[in-house]
């Protein structure tokens, strides 16, 4: 029964009144959603918003997070004029410090990407750092990086400004209302339940802050985050300080500093953090502080104060400890909740909520209003989360590392050190005994490379060739010249069954899956705008049974996408069978001879064509063998029941020496596929990239009955001629440099794109990359042939060859040999 405090219905209900919840409500209202209700359990901003430092620094780790911060900076400059509510915005700029050549290299790479996105920045000398921030000790610095347009705000004031702007547009904000449940009708959110009654709604948006995990568990949603102690101190007044002093970010000392009303605010991101309230946040928490652990923090504080030596002679007015929540991969949790229509979430901002909130509100409101995300947000999309990553012990243990990760070195291929060994292949111990160096993906421990006898299977990080480069080269050559075996058991495997399974999948997939049993199709799932939502293979096992295989980290996304599009009257069931099958990928020109030596199956082109599946026998076991390739070579993927996988693997390894077999890791899979210009979802394509732009139009069955989702958008794009933006392969002319991603691409000296993935093409003899180019006249073969292309990295420019066709085996003859 509704008490009258709340309306009985709203178009949208936003749960949580921190800065993110207020921003979403504000932006929904700006889009015309005037019938919006925001419910806050206590007071606006009383969780973690109120004690944030208010830094708005625009260089972030990814393009999407940089875009969010850029929008926030612009919005916060307009809010006060719009609402009359002060935001405390001060455009003071920021400086990131580099104490080592390695940190300077990392920053130069990031700054090149930032300039491509319109973030002004300049490398400055230690003397120039001193001139901008006279109190700073600079004798231990290699360089500084100045961002003149960065700013600081008062988080509480910004929250109130957003709330005021929302109210002015008709949003109803009600405090002291605890949401106890989300109402559901079948698979759709239908409103919320409170002590004051139910509010029915078309859309529910959860912005629960550090309560996210506990609320998610109650609702059956995986929102892995954990609160941790987060510290800063405020000094006594210091003569000469003014509010235009830039923000100092000092990764080498795990600290940041800014002026605060004539004082210094010094914040600490210690490398080993202390999780807080692991058994639940106190129910009455509201503008509360945590009792600080001075003994634990004193060494970190002393280390940080070396940057501002005056603090040793200045009193400390406040030593503050408050909670901040952190996620296991240090990325946000936002977007559409999988398996539940009309339910969205935004939380887990890892101490970056203030600088991101404006942009988050903007893109979330558009996502809700338009039905698809307006920018590529996969790195923060909640659909990347798997249930194993929401385990309490996992989240708590990872938080120890996650809090300080932003201030650590961002090495290529850096691996998490905490909360490991979550998921293991049944072959894990055999791989370890063979020298595998493991890395974690979607909770899985996967062999990235194999050490030689006497070599330690561990990473030695570097921005150039890392210690596994020669291992990768040997594995790569084995696949190109002989045969390699990969354990890809982590790949997600979804069994789609039922009378209408073909109808459901054929509507989703670009390819035509109305095919005989035993055929395999490579396909994408598209959104209504033609953007790629998933990249996968579909195998017809029987009349009413299909196997969908996709990358491990997209398991939830793909499962939810299929489930979301099963019509109510359809007989179609999706089951995750990933754990039921190991997958051994046998690739290379000698793969046919190797498999023929241990199986009675005829693996010839005539008997076993490319793109087909057969049941085969190996020893005493049976396996589904699919003739497909992600390496550009002849090969088969073997799907073996897990309990039988070790014997099949042992048989392969025993027969291998006669055929030049090498054990291979995921780094080699990556270098092979980039050399062949094969795409990977989330790097080379995503929800904003169409098959015409990323070179996958060949998967589209344009004339199949019923079409496919996104077809009309593609036809419209195709009618306009060659796309103005396309994915292109590049090969450096210099064999020495190592690329990563997000490097600017120059054509005749003008930046017209950026790389999205890279790997060393050992057969071609240099680093290769995939990257998008934009040209108003279309990215055509003629345009590519006429241009001089270079790739910029850390203030260096490398000459590169560009091609719309794969530079390795452009006709694809080796996979069909």
């Amino acid at each position: 029964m509704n008490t009258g405090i709340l309306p009985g219905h709203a178009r949208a209900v936003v749960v949580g009144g921190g800065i993110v919840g207020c921003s979403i409500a504000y932006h929904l209202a700006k889009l015309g959603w005037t019938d919006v209700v925001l419910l806050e359990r206590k007071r606006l901003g009383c969780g973690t918003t109120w004690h944030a430092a208010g830094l708005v620094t625009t260089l972030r780790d990814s393009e999407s997070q940089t875009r969010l911060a850029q929008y926030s900076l612009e919005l916060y400059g307009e809010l006060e004029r719009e609402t009359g509510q002060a935001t405390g915005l001060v455009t003071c700029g920021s400086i990131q410090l580099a104490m080592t050549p390695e940190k300077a290299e990392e920053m130069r790479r990031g700054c090149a990407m930032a300039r491509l996105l319109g973030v002004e920045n300049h490398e400055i000398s230690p003397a120039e750092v001193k001139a901008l921030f006279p109190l700073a000790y600079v004798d231990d610095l290699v360089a500084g990086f100045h961002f003149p347009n960065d700013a600081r705000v008062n988080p509480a004031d910004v929250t109130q400004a957003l709330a005021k702007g929302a109210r002015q547009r008709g949003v109803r904000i009600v405090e002291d209302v605890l949401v106890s449940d989300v109402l559901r009708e079948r698979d759709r959110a239908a409103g919320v339940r409170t002590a004051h009654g139910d509010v029915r709604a078309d859309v529910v948006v959860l912005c629960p802050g550090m309560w996210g995990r506990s609320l998610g568990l109650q609702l059956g949603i995986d929102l892995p985050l954990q609160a941790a102690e987060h510290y800063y101190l405020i000094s006594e007044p210091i003569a000469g300080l003014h509010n235009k002093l830039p923000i100092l970010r000092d990764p080498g000392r795990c600290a940041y500093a800014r002026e605060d009303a004539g004082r210094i605010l010094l914040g600490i991101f210690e490398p080993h953090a202390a999780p807080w309230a692991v058994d639940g946040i106190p129910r009455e928490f509201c503008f509360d502080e945590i009792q600080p652990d001075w003994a634990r923090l004193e060494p970190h504080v002393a280390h940080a104060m070396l940057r501002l030596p005056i603090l040793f002679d200045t009193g400390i007015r406040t030593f503050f400890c408050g909670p901040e929540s952190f996620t296991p991969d240090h990325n946000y949790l936002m977007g559409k909740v999988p398996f539940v229509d009309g339910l969205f979430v935004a939380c887990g901002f890892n101490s970056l909520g203030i600088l991101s909130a404006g942009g988050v509100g903007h893109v979330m409101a558009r996502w809700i209003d338009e039905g698809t995300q307006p920018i590529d947000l996969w790195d923060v999309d909640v659909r990347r989360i798997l249930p194993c990553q929401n385990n309490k012990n996992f989240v708590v243990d990872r938080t120890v590392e996650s809090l300080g990760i932003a201030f650590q070195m961002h090495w290529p291929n850096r691996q998490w050190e905490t909360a490991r060994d979550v998921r293991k292949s049944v072959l894990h111990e055999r791989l370890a005994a063979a020298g595998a160096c493991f890395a974690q993906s979607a909770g899985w421990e996967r062999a990235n490379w194999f050490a030689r006898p006497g070599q330690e299977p561990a990473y030695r990080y570097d921005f150039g060739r890392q210690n596994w480069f020669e291992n990768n080269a040997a594995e790569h050559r084995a696949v190109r010249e002989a045969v390699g075996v990969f354990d890809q058991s982590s790949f997600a495997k979804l069994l789609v069954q039922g009378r209408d399974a073909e109808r459901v999948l054929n509507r989703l997939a670009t390819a035509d899956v109305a095919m005989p049993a035993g055929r395999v199709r490579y396909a994408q799932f598209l959104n209504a705008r033609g953007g790629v939502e998933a990249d996968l293979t579909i195998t017809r096992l029987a009349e009413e049974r299909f196997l969908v295989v996709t990358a491990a980290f997209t398991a939830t996304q793909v499962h939810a996408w299929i489930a979301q599009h099963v019509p109510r009257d359809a007989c179609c069931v999706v089951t995750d069978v990933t754990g039921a099958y190991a997958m051994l990928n046998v690739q290379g020109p000698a793969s046919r001879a190797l498999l023929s030596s241990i199986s009675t199956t005829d693996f010839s082109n005539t008997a076993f064509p490319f793109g087909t599946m057969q049941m085969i026998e190996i020893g005493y076991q049976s396996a589904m063998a699919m003739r497909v390739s992600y390496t550009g070579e002849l090969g088969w993927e073997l799907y073996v029941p897990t309990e039988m996988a070790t014997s099949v693997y042992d048989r392969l390894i025993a027969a291998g020496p006669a055929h030049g077999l090498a054990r291979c890791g995921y780094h080699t899979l990556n270098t092979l596929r980039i050399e062949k210009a094969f795409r990977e979802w989330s790097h080379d394509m995503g929800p904003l990239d169409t098959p015409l732009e990323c070179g996958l139009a060949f998967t589209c069955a344009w004339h199949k009955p019923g079409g496919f989702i996104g077809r009309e958008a593609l036809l419209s794009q195709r009618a306009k001629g060659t796309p103005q933006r396309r994915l292109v392969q590049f090969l450096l002319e210099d064999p020495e440099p190592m690329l990563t991603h997000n490097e600017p691409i120059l054509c005749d000296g003008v930046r017209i794109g950026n790389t999205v993935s890279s790997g060393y093409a050992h057969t071609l003899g240099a680093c290769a990359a995939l990257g998008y180019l934009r040209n108003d006249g279309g990215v055509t073969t003629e345009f590519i042939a006429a241009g001089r292309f270079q790739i910029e990295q850390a203030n260096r420019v490398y000459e590169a060859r560009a091609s719309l066709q794969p530079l390795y085996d452009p006709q694809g003859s080796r996979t069909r040999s």
Side-chain angles (χ1 to χ4, degrees):
M1 175 179 173
N2 198 303
T3 63
I5 295 176
L6 304 176
H9 183 273
R11 190 176 180 189
V13 173
V14 178
V15 180
I19 191 170
V20 171
C22 289
S23 180
I24 293 173
Y26 167 84
H27 283 92
L28 281 172
K30 286 190 74 172
L31 291 176
W33 288 50
T34 54
D35 186 13
V36 175
V37 174
L38 185 151
L39 304 178
E40 163 54 43
R41 57 181 289 277
K42 290 292 184 182
R43 296 286 184 270
L44 295 183
C46 72
T48 60
T49 296
W50 71 277
H51 61 72
L55 313 183
V56 188
T57 51
T58 46
L59 174 63
R60 310 305 338 147
D61 293 340
S62 68
E63 178 177 349
S64 62
Q65 294 180 40
T66 299
R67 296 289 191 199
L68 298 180
Q70 285 178 295
Y71 180 90
S72 296
L73 184 61
E74 180 180 350
L75 173 69
Y76 299 161
E78 299 171 352
L79 267 179
E80 186 169 342
R81 292 190 295 273
E82 176 190 333
T83 66
Q85 165 69 48
T87 61
L89 177 73
V90 178
T91 305
C92 56
S94 74
I95 303 172
Q96 183 125 332
L97 307 178
M99 292 176 62
T100 65
E102 292 80 11
K103 175 55 74 171
E105 172 72 12
E106 176 194 317
M107 286 301 301
R108 289 172 187 136
R109 293 176 177 222
C111 286
M113 183 273 288
R115 288 191 294 272
L116 187 66
L117 300 178
V119 177
E120 183 182 353
N121 63 80
H122 311 277
E123 182 172 341
I124 59 178
S125 67
E128 290 172 306
V129 173
K130 185 77 171 178
L132 288 167
F133 204 120
L135 296 181
Y137 174 75
V138 299
D139 291 356
D140 60 350
L141 296 181
V142 172
F145 298 84
H146 185 216
F147 300 81
N149 298 318
D150 284 355
R152 39 179 274 211
V153 295
N154 184 317
D157 287 346
V158 174
T159 303
Q160 292 298 331
L162 289 165
K164 185 175 181 180
R167 289 188 183 101
Q168 289 173 341
R169 288 177 167 82
V171 174
R172 184 169 179 178
I173 297 177
V174 186
E175 297 177 305
D176 288 315
V177 174
L178 176 67
V179 171
S180 59
D181 201 0
V182 172
L183 306 176
R184 297 195 196 187
E185 291 180 353
R186 294 185 177 179
D187 296 326
R188 183 173 187 86
V192 297
R193 176 151 292 159
T194 80
H196 301 283
D198 297 348
V199 181
R200 309 287 294 183
D202 302 327
V203 171
V204 176
V205 188
L206 304 177
C207 304
M210 59 183 170
W211 290 269
R213 182 171 182 272
S214 59
L215 179 60
L217 289 173
Q218 178 186 333
L219 301 176
I221 303 167
D222 291 313
L223 300 176
L225 54 80
Q226 172 61 48
E229 297 177 4
H230 185 43
Y231 290 83
Y232 61 74
L233 62 84
I234 300 175
S235 73
E236 294 290 353
I238 298 175
L241 291 186
H242 57 84
N243 66 4
K244 290 295 185 179
L245 279 176
I247 300 159
L248 279 186
R249 286 173 49 84
D250 190 359
R253 299 190 182 280
C254 302
Y256 64 89
R258 71 165 179 83
E259 183 273 346
D260 185 83
R263 306 170 179 85
I264 288 292
L265 184 154
L266 182 70
I268 310 296
F269 278 86
E270 69 271 29
H272 300 282
W276 175 76
V278 297
D279 293 321
I281 299 167
R283 186 177 180 85
E284 297 304 313
F285 188 98
C286 181
F287 297 114
D288 289 356
E289 300 183 25
I290 301 172
Q291 182 63 36
D293 185 347
W294 171 254
R296 186 176 73 81
L297 260 290
E298 185 176 14
H300 299 292
V301 172
H303 185 59
M305 288 171 64
L306 291 171
R307 180 62 59 211
L308 301 172
I310 194 173
L311 293 178
F312 288 108
D313 301 315
T314 306
I316 297 175
R317 171 167 292 196
T318 302
F319 187 56
F320 178 85
C321 180
E324 292 277 1
S325 62
F326 296 85
T327 64
D329 61 1
H330 203 77
N331 284 327
Y332 318 152
L333 302 172
M334 55 184 285
K336 182 187 179 299
V337 172
F339 305 107
V340 186
D341 288 338
L343 185 61
F344 293 80
V345 66
C347 60
F349 288 97
N350 304 287
S351 279
L352 302 176
I354 305 304
L355 66 86
S356 302
V360 169
H362 175 62
V363 300
M364 286 290 293
R366 286 186 58 193
W367 194 342
I368 294 165
D369 185 61
E370 299 169 12
T372 54
Q373 51 191 290
I375 65 173
D376 188 347
L377 293 164
W378 177 251
D379 58 331
V380 297
D381 194 320
V382 70
R383 292 174 295 180
R384 76 186 186 278
I385 298 299
L386 297 168
C388 64
Q389 296 166 313
N390 198 31
N391 173 275
K392 177 181 175 180
N393 292 329
F394 174 82
V395 175
V396 170
D397 289 352
R398 178 57 62 80
T399 298
V400 172
E401 183 180 6
S402 183
L403 181 144
I405 202 69
F407 280 71
Q408 306 302 306
M409 286 293 299
H410 294 78
W411 296 109
N413 306 302
R414 184 202 178 276
Q415 302 300 317
W416 291 95
E417 298 175 359
T418 54
R420 296 294 298 266
D421 294 333
V422 178
R423 309 170 80 183
K424 293 182 179 180
S425 160
V426 69
L427 301 172
H428 182 90
E429 300 308 323
R430 280 170 166 74
L431 302 180
C437 180
F438 293 98
Q440 194 177 74
S441 177
W444 287 93
E445 295 292 329
R446 311 196 307 183
N448 267 8
W449 56 278
F450 286 84
R452 299 182 298 272
Q455 179 186 16
E456 182 186 10
Y459 280 94
R460 300 288 179 265
Y461 297 124
D462 195 281
F463 285 110
R465 296 183 178 186
Q466 295 187 355
N467 64 313
W468 48 270
F469 180 84
E470 293 301 333
N471 306 69
N472 169 230
E475 294 173 20
H476 188 110
R477 284 193 296 268
V479 174
R480 290 283 183 247
E481 299 169 7
V483 61
V485 59
F486 304 80
D487 176 19
Q488 292 179 230
S489 301
S490 64
F491 268 47
K493 310 163 195 80
L494 304 174
L495 193 61
V496 184
Q497 303 179 90
R499 181 186 64 242
D500 299 304
E502 177 189 298
R503 174 164 67 99
V504 169
L505 288 175
N506 227 14
R507 177 61 180 158
L508 295 179
T510 52
D512 189 351
V513 301
M515 55 191 177
R519 296 301 301 269
V520 185
R521 290 278 191 268
Y522 172 53
Q524 288 75 48
F525 292 165
L526 309 182
N527 55 42
R529 295 185 305 200
V532 181
E533 292 283 352
D535 183 66
L536 36 79
T537 60
I538 301 174
T539 301
R540 188 163 207 157
L541 304 179
E543 179 67 23
E544 297 184 359
R545 191 163 74 252
F546 293 81
L547 184 67
V548 175
V549 178
T550 187
F553 65 91
T554 66
T556 301
Q557 148 79 345
V558 174
H559 191 169
W561 190 264
I562 299 172
Q564 172 187 340
H565 290 91
V566 175
R568 295 238 177 253
D569 63 347
C571 177
C572 180
V573 178
V574 186
T575 308
D576 189 332
V577 295
T578 300
Y581 294 93
M583 194 266 267
L584 298 173
N585 194 2
V586 182
Q587 295 283 316
S591 59
R592 176 178 286 123
L594 171 60
L595 291 173
S596 296
S597 72
I598 59 175
S599 174
T600 58
T601 298
D602 183 351
F603 290 94
S604 67
N605 258 330
T606 303
F608 208 142
F610 182 80
T612 64
M613 183 278 293
Q614 295 182 31
M615 294 300 301
I616 68 171
E617 292 182 352
I618 296 179
Y620 301 131
Q621 318 306 334
S622 295
M624 289 185 289
M626 299 178 192
R627 188 176 167 192
V628 294
S629 177
Y630 195 48
T631 65
E633 300 297 334
L634 172 71
W636 280 263
E637 293 177 354
L638 308 181
Y639 293 81
V640 190
T642 299
E643 69 274 16
M644 302 176 181
T646 54
S647 62
V648 172
Y649 180 76
D650 290 346
R651 190 66 70 102
L652 278 168
I653 296 300
H659 305 278
L661 178 68
R663 298 175 179 88
C664 300
Y666 276 83
H667 283 326
T668 296
L669 190 67
N670 189 57
T671 58
L672 290 164
R673 71 96 182 167
I674 289 176
E675 185 171 64
K676 186 62 178 72
F678 285 156
R679 281 56 166 153
E680 181 179 13
W681 195 84
S682 87
H683 290 290
D684 311 316
M685 54 186 163
L688 270 67
D689 309 308
T690 72
L692 299 175
E693 294 167 335
C694 61
L696 295 175
F698 68 89
T699 71
C700 296
W702 299 102
H703 303 296
K704 68 176 176 176
F708 53 87
I709 294 173
R711 175 179 177 272
E712 289 70 23
L714 295 188
L715 289 173
S716 176
Q717 184 182 36
R718 192 172 68 169
K720 297 175 183 177
T722 302
Q724 295 179 334
R725 177 177 174 272
R726 293 180 75 181
L727 190 65
V728 177
Q729 187 183 27
F730 296 88
L731 182 70
L732 295 186
E733 294 185 5
D734 185 339
E736 292 302 315
M738 297 294 293
L739 302 175
T740 52
H741 65 283
N742 281 338
E743 292 100 350
I745 302 170
L746 291 74
C747 178
D748 299 329
V750 178
R751 293 187 182 95
I752 64 166
N754 63 281
T755 63
V756 289
S757 61
S758 67
Y760 201 89
H762 294 280
T763 312
L764 299 177
C767 202
L770 297 173
Y772 280 96
L773 300 182
R774 184 179 292 278
N775 178 52
D776 290 344
V779 180
T780 62
T781 302
E782 294 74 19
F783 170 76
I784 296 294
R788 177 193 177 194
F789 291 93
Q790 299 168 310
I791 296 178
E792 179 185 354
Q793 183 189 71
N795 301 333
R796 301 179 297 270
V797 176
Y798 303 117
E799 300 293 328
R801 176 184 171 191
S803 177
L804 285 168
Q805 293 291 109
L807 292 170
Y808 178 80
D809 187 24
Q811 302 306 315
S813 59
R814 294 179 67 88
T815 62
R816 292 171 169 80
S817 61

